[in-house]
Structures are given as C-alpha cells and as structure tokens.
Amino acid sequence: MSKIRDYQQQVQDVIERGINTVEKQHKNLAERPFELAEKVEKQAKSYSVTSVRSKHDDYANTAYEALRVWNKRLGDYADNLIGRFDSEAAQTQQKAEQQSSSEAQTSGQKQASGAKKGTGGAKKQTESQASA
C-alpha cells in the first residue's frame, strides 16, 4: 500500500506545482491591467460623469459634422464631374445625330438623282426602240 500512497503524493505534488505555476502566470498577466485601472481611477476622480459625457458628445458631434461636410463636398465634386461627362456625351450624341441626318440627306439626294437618271435612260431607250 505504501507504493499507492507514494503515487498519490507524487500526483498531488505535480498538481500543486501546476497550480502554483498557473497562479504565478495569472498574477503576472493581471498586474499591468490593474496598474492601469488604478492610474485611471486616480485621474478619473477629477472628472465627473457629466463632464466626461459632455466632452464625449462635443467631440462626437464635431467629428460627425466634419464627416457630413466632407461627404457634401465629395458629392458636389462628383456631381460636377458627372455634369461634365453628361455634357460631353450630349454633344457627342448631337454631333452623331447631325452627321447621321446629313448622311441620310446626301443618300436621299443620290437616290433621287439616280432615279431621275434612270427615268431619262428609260425614255431614251424607248425612243431608240421606237425609231428602230
């Protein structure tokens, strides 16, 4: 039975050393955050919750208003660029329509001219057949 008690004691010693190691590591890790919390606590006593909230609200309002102004400026800039592109596109489309219209008129004139020539040619051909 003494061997079993020896094993029991060894297991308990191993567990005790593990607990001690974990405890030491935990205290070392927790030390810095608690030091910072104590420092903040000392400094925070000079501020009331109302004054801290007021400062927060002022800073937040200033930041969001600056973002809104920036967004408005960005929107105006984008609107200006889009206006330029729309204007150029309208001019290009107008030129294309004028060119298309001009080409259609020229084509129509050529067709009308060809029809006149064709009629005249048929007349001459009929006259030459009649005289023969």
Side-chain angles (χ1 to χ4, degrees), residues 6 17 49 54 64 66 92 103 109 113 127 131:
D6 286 342
R17 282 189 297 236
V49 173
S54 176
Y64 290 120
T92 303
E103 288 174 357
Q109 289 173 353
S113 170
E127 288 174 2
S131 63

Side-chain angles (χ1 to χ4, degrees), residues 26-77:
H26 177 250
K27 287 180 178 178
N28 285 339
L29 289 171
E31 186 175 336
R32 184 68 179 148
F34 283 116
E35 286 175 358
L36 292 173
E38 289 169 354
K39 184 177 179 181
V40 168
E41 182 182 40
K42 289 177 187 175
Q43 292 176 349
K45 288 181 181 178
S46 63
Y47 297 105
S48 70
V49 173
T50 305
S51 68
V52 171
R53 174 178 270 186
S54 176
K55 286 181 188 259
H56 164 268
D57 291 347
D58 289 344
Y59 291 138
N61 289 338
T62 300
Y64 290 120
E65 188 56 35
L67 289 170
R68 285 184 184 95
V69 167
W70 180 80
N71 186 38
K72 172 82 168 92
R73 287 181 183 167
L74 185 62
D76 291 345
Y77 179 73

Side-chain angles (χ1 to χ4, degrees), residues 67-110:
L67 289 170
R68 285 184 184 95
V69 167
W70 180 80
N71 186 38
K72 172 82 168 92
R73 287 181 183 167
L74 185 62
D76 291 345
Y77 179 73
D79 188 49
N80 186 1
L81 285 176
I82 291 168
R84 287 182 188 174
F85 287 124
D86 284 348
S87 175
E88 289 177 14
Q91 288 176 357
T92 303
Q93 185 177 1
Q94 186 179 13
K95 286 179 183 177
E97 287 173 356
Q98 288 174 349
Q99 185 177 6
S100 176
S101 174
S102 174
E103 288 174 357
Q105 287 177 352
T106 304
S107 176
Q109 289 173 353
K110 285 182 180 178

